[in-house]
Each structure stands twice: as structure tokens, then as C-alpha cells.
Amino acid sequence: MPEETEEVLDAEKAALLVNDLRRSFSSGKTRSYEWRVSQLKSIAKMLEDKEKEIKEALHKDLSKPELESFVSEIAMTKSSCKLAIQELKNWMKPDKVKTPLSTYPSSAETVSEPLGVVLVISTWNYPFLLSLDPVIGAIAAGNAVVLKPSEIAPATSSLLSELLEEYIDISALRVVEGAVAETAALLEQKWDKIFYTGSGRVGRIVMAAAAKHLTPVVLELGGKCPAIVDSSVNLQVTAKRIIGGKWVANNGQACISVDHIITTKEFAPKLIEALRNELEEFFGREPMESKDLSRIVNSYHFARLARLLDEDVVSEKIVHGGQRDETKLRIAPTILLDVPEDSAMMQEEIFGPLLPICTVENIEDAFDMVTSRPKPLVAYVFTNDERMKKEFVQNVSAGGLLINDTILHVTVSTLPFGGVGESGMGSYHGKFSFDAFSHKKAVMYRSFEGDSALRYPPYTTKKERLLKAIFSGNIFGIILALMGWSTN
């Protein structure tokens, strides 16, 4: 028997898919509170029912430890879903706003309405969370959705396709698997919004495709996230939290992972020693054998990281780790000291278990290093100096800032998560996800009472004086104008 070939989604099939979803959206079904909350509850049930299968898929794709998979992917997705279910009625309510004296008598409000048919393109490093988190926001906002999971995490992509078809109303939500060809076919279509998580290189492609249809985009990208470490810190806690934001975060394969550290020449040896001690405590003396470290996702990314490490000016800078096994796609936690600024490691986002430490004479010089580079998705500082904290918040521009810890800010649903400049645009999480997929429609109400002759011709000096007083909010001037007196 001849082998069955998998059908590729081309532009024609993509157009039919979008048209189907647009018909479903136009029917009005996705706009109701009942439909939205029922889909969110179905996702919540799926997370409860299929936890074991989700962990297995994540282990196949990335060798993620079970606990890390639960905390960073399953629990966080559950939290997003639970919050959306609890708050959906409030999010959907119109927001009353004040109106000026010039429109009296009137009232006004903003009404959140769904954008329509939206595309979510997710990434491979947190393939479950970063697929479903924006989808939850899109459904909560009342949209029809196409999800394109990453082919680099094939087990999770396949599972998402299977589970969402089982649990969700497929007349309004579809999963499209595939690689570049399928993504290109989807990007040719007209969407009401595109949400993309991934690299800046592909982000530019997405934005260019969206521009053809004037489609708004949310781009969740990355960048070289710095961590400034002052000598005033609790050294042991600092080391643990840096490890938590580097190697515990998918072995450094995270957009919010600590990309590099900046500290003083004097303090660097103490910090390195503390990191060594805690790394051994967490992953043992043979980290390559640790079951608590994720592997590198594939051979391409292994080779990319090996290239960064093998550059002549870099390899001699290793002060800890450096072990690797290409057959198992594993690289040990590796610390480097004073890697040259013009090296590939210091120019590219590392996205892996390599951690360069850059030294400066004075900790204040670290601010110049951060602000002279493209704005990162997140910047970290460790210090007990209140003045330094204040300067950090005032002077460092990044998608987000975190003081004396790493990565935890993404768990706070009341904070927006997103980039700025080259690290992205737009934000989500919590109500920000609902807003990202909604249009804030301005609505104003007036009655037929209280119509004023002031707005209509003939224009007179008295009308001009009165209108100037009204627009300036000058009550005394309004009284004088009504009496026929001038304020001049």
C-alpha cells in the first residue's frame, strides 16, 4: 500500500478555513457570555482531565521535568482560565466615563466588542502555556480563533490539535499544524488580529504580512534580558533566584530568562562561587545526568549554542560547566566571565544554558550597558540600595522590570506582560488578554432635551464668549457671558 501523505494547508484551503470561521463569528454565537464561559470551562476541564498526557508531550519535546511542566505550563494555564471564568462578566460590562460640560446633558461609556477572527501563532519553548494563554484571552473576548502551534514541539502540537477538537467548539476554534508553508498560507489571509510569540526575525515577517491588510498585531518577542547584581545583596538568595530565572526556566530556553549578568570586577568572583555552589546543590556534581534539567529542543538549536560557545574569543572564558552531549541534546549550566562585547554570544539572544557575566568598575556603569542596547523583554536588578532601585525604575526601559528576583512577574495577572521596541509590542495576561483581543467602542448617549442654539449659526460675539467660557470650564466666565458682560 502506498504511504498516505499528509495534506498541506495552502492559501486556498486557508482562505476557506477563515471564511468558515467568519461565518461562525457573524452568526453571533461567540459574542454571548454563555458561549464564552462554556468554552473556558471546557478548557479548564481539559486541563484537569489530561494533565498526564500534557506532561508526557512536554517531556517528549523538551525533556521537561514533571514538576517544571506542571508549574510553568499547566498551573499557569489553569490560573489564566480560572481568572477569565471568574471575571468575565465584569470584563464584558461597559465602562462608564465622564462627559464634558460642552456636551451636557449626556452620558458615555466604552463597550468591549470582539475583533472577529484572530490568528494565534505560538512558540516551542513553553508550547502548551504560550498556545493556550492567548487563546483563553481571545475566547473570553468573544472571537473565533485559529491556533498555529510550533512544529518544533511536535508532540505538544499534536496533542493540542487532538484535545481542542475534543473539548472546544470547532466551529469557532481550529488548530492548524504544520511548518513554514502552513504559517505562510495563514499569513496571506486577512485577520482581525494576529498574536505572535517567537523571534524578532519571524516577528518582522508577521508584521509585514499583517501590514498588507492593515491587521493589528501583538508581537511577544525577546531580547537579551540583563540582570544587574550589586554587592549589597544576600548572595545565597540572589544566586538561587538567578538560577531559577535561568536554568530552572527550561534550561535557559525562555524569552524572560536571564541572558547575562552585569556586576563589578570586585564582586564577580564571589557571585560565581555562589552560583557554583547552588548549581551543585540543585543539579548535582554531574549536571549532565540530572533529571531536573530540560534538554535543548533540537539539533539546530544545539548547534547554534555550540557555535556561540566555540568562538575563539569565547571558549577560553568558561569558568564553570561547558560540558555537552550532542546525541542527548544536553548542555550543562555554563558560566563565562568577561566575554568580549563583539562576540556572537553578546550580540545575539542566547536562549540556552550559557550565562556570561560582564564586569564593570562601578555598578553605576551597568546602567549605561543596559540602556545602550535594544530594550529587552525584562530587566532585573539585585540590590538593597533604595536609590539604585529608584534609578533602575526611572532609567531602564524594558517590557517589564523585576527587583531582587527573576521571572515571577509573569505570574501576576494584574501586570501586563509584553515587550517594547525590539522586544515586542502589545501585552496580555489577565484582563490585558481580554483587552488585547477586544475593540474598545466609544458610545455616547444624548436625549432630545437641552438642545442649545450655541452650536448653530448665526455666530455672534455673545455665543463666542459663552463657548470659550464653556470649553475652558470657567464657571465665572459662563455667568458673565450669559449676562452679556465680557471677561476681557
Side-chain angles (χ1 to χ4, degrees):
M1 284 180 65
E3 284 188 22
E4 289 186 18
T5 56
E6 193 170 328
E7 194 174 0
V8 176
L9 182 97
D10 58 19
E12 185 179 348
K13 293 186 179 72
L16 291 172
L17 171 62
V18 175
N19 287 338
D20 283 348
L21 289 172
R22 207 166 286 287
R23 279 193 294 271
S24 185
F25 176 76
S26 297
S27 73
K29 68 184 297 183
T30 67
R31 291 175 176 266
S32 73
Y33 168 79
E34 290 75 19
W35 182 87
R36 301 185 203 191
V37 80
S38 70
Q39 301 309 301
L40 295 172
K41 286 180 177 179
S42 292
I43 292 175
K45 186 175 189 309
M46 179 185 81
L47 295 169
E48 290 293 336
D49 295 348
K50 303 298 181 179
E51 182 177 313
K52 181 173 179 285
E53 289 86 341
I54 295 165
K55 288 177 179 176
E56 288 172 352
L58 291 168
H59 191 267
K60 284 180 184 176
D61 286 332
L62 291 149
S63 289
K64 277 198 180 185
E66 277 202 17
L67 185 58
E68 187 178 333
S69 291
F70 175 77
V71 171
S72 63
E73 302 243 28
I74 299 168
M76 286 188 67
T77 308
K78 281 182 177 180
S79 179
S80 292
C81 202
K82 181 180 177 182
L83 180 69
I85 292 168
Q86 287 177 341
E87 297 296 329
L88 186 57
K89 280 187 178 176
N90 288 329
W91 293 349
M92 290 177 68
K93 286 178 181 175
D95 289 324
K96 298 291 184 183
V97 297
K98 292 181 179 179
T99 56
L101 183 62
S102 58
T103 65
Y104 178 85
S106 67
S107 63
E109 63 189 13
T110 59
V111 176
S112 295
E113 66 176 7
L115 292 169
V117 182
V118 302
L119 173 64
V120 174
I121 305 173
S122 67
T123 191
W124 55 264
N125 57 333
Y126 289 85
F128 197 79
L129 172 69
L130 297 183
S131 292
L132 285 186
D133 207 350
V135 166
I136 288 166
I139 289 174
N143 298 278
V145 190
V146 169
L147 168 64
K148 168 59 184 68
S150 174
E151 71 280 6
I152 298 176
T156 308
S157 176
S158 178
L159 183 65
L160 280 165
S161 179
E162 175 189 326
L163 294 184
L164 289 174
E165 187 171 343
E166 179 183 346
Y167 282 84
I168 299 297
D169 178 0
I170 61 169
S171 71
L173 187 144
R174 303 283 182 85
V175 179
V176 173
E177 290 195 89
V180 174
E182 288 78 7
T183 304
L186 290 170
L187 287 174
E188 284 186 36
Q189 312 311 310
K190 178 172 174 53
W191 304 91
D192 296 298
K193 192 153 201 177
I194 299 174
F195 188 107
Y196 168 75
T197 305
S199 70
R201 179 184 63 82
V202 178
R204 288 173 171 83
I205 295 170
V206 171
M207 196 169 182
K212 294 176 184 177
H213 301 289
L214 294 180
T215 300
V217 297
V218 173
L219 301 179
E220 295 295 342
L221 308 178
K224 294 184 71 62
C225 300
I228 299 172
V229 182
D230 183 27
S231 59
S232 65
V233 298
N234 180 315
L235 191 52
Q236 185 180 26
V237 173
T238 297
K240 287 180 178 180
R241 291 178 179 179
I242 288 172
I243 293 169
K246 180 66 173 181
W247 296 286
V248 176
N250 199 27
N251 207 2
Q253 298 170 108
C255 56
I256 55 171
S257 164
V258 177
D259 181 272
H260 58 284
I261 291 172
I262 308 170
T263 192
T264 61
K265 290 184 185 298
E266 182 182 359
F267 190 64
K270 295 178 183 177
L271 179 59
I272 291 168
E273 186 61 25
L275 287 168
R276 282 177 178 149
N277 292 337
E278 297 305 324
L279 281 169
E280 184 174 326
E281 184 71 24
F282 292 170
F283 305 117
R285 293 188 177 182
E286 300 294 335
M288 295 287 282
E289 305 303 318
S290 174
K291 294 180 180 179
D292 295 324
L293 272 173
S294 301
R295 64 165 168 79
I296 307 306
V297 67
N298 59 23
S299 56
Y300 168 81
H301 282 281
F302 184 95
R304 178 184 62 80
L305 290 163
R307 173 179 58 81
L308 296 181
L309 205 52
D310 290 340
E311 192 175 353
D312 289 341
V313 292
V314 171
S315 55
E316 62 189 29
K317 301 293 185 178
I318 297 173
V319 293
H320 179 79
Q323 307 95 313
R324 67 185 97 158
D325 184 338
E326 187 172 2
T327 60
K328 295 181 179 179
L329 296 177
R330 293 180 74 85
I331 299 177
T334 300
I335 303 171
L336 306 96
L337 182 62
D338 283 330
V339 173
E341 184 65 26
D342 60 356
S343 65
M345 184 176 290
M346 291 309 299
Q347 295 300 312
E348 301 174 15
E349 184 180 7
I350 294 170
F351 222 74
L354 318 178
L355 181 62
I357 296 178
C358 311
T359 61
V360 291
E361 292 297 333
N362 301 299
I363 199 64
E364 290 77 12
D365 297 334
F367 286 77
D368 294 332
M369 286 187 70
V370 173
T371 56
S372 65
R373 294 172 176 167
K375 297 173 182 180
L377 185 57
V378 57
Y380 304 106
V381 68
F382 289 83
T383 182
N384 271 322
D385 186 329
E386 294 301 321
R387 179 186 59 81
M388 189 173 177
K389 293 176 190 178
K390 185 176 180 181
E391 287 184 8
F392 182 74
V393 173
Q394 286 181 339
N395 299 325
V396 173
S397 181
L401 303 177
L402 185 50
I403 296 165
N404 291 337
D405 212 325
T406 58
I407 72 175
L408 284 185
H409 64 298
V410 300
T411 66
V412 182
S413 63
T414 48
L415 287 174
F417 178 72
V420 59
E422 291 190 23
S423 59
M425 62 182 69
S427 60
Y428 72 125
H429 285 186
K431 187 174 184 293
F432 299 101
S433 293
F434 178 87
D435 291 341
F437 291 100
S438 300
H439 166 59
K440 296 294 184 184
K441 184 164 58 179
V443 182
M444 185 175 177
Y445 301 91
R446 296 202 78 208
S447 72
F448 290 108
E449 305 301 322
D451 198 45
S452 172
L454 280 176
R455 62 189 289 194
Y456 308 117
Y459 302 123
T460 65
T461 303
K462 181 178 179 180
K463 284 184 179 180
E464 182 181 354
R465 284 200 298 266
L466 184 53
L467 282 170
K468 282 183 177 179
I470 289 171
F471 282 119
S472 66
N474 184 347
I475 302 299
F476 182 62
I478 293 171
I479 295 169
L480 290 178
L482 288 170
M483 295 173 65
W485 294 349
S486 173
T487 56
N488 294 333

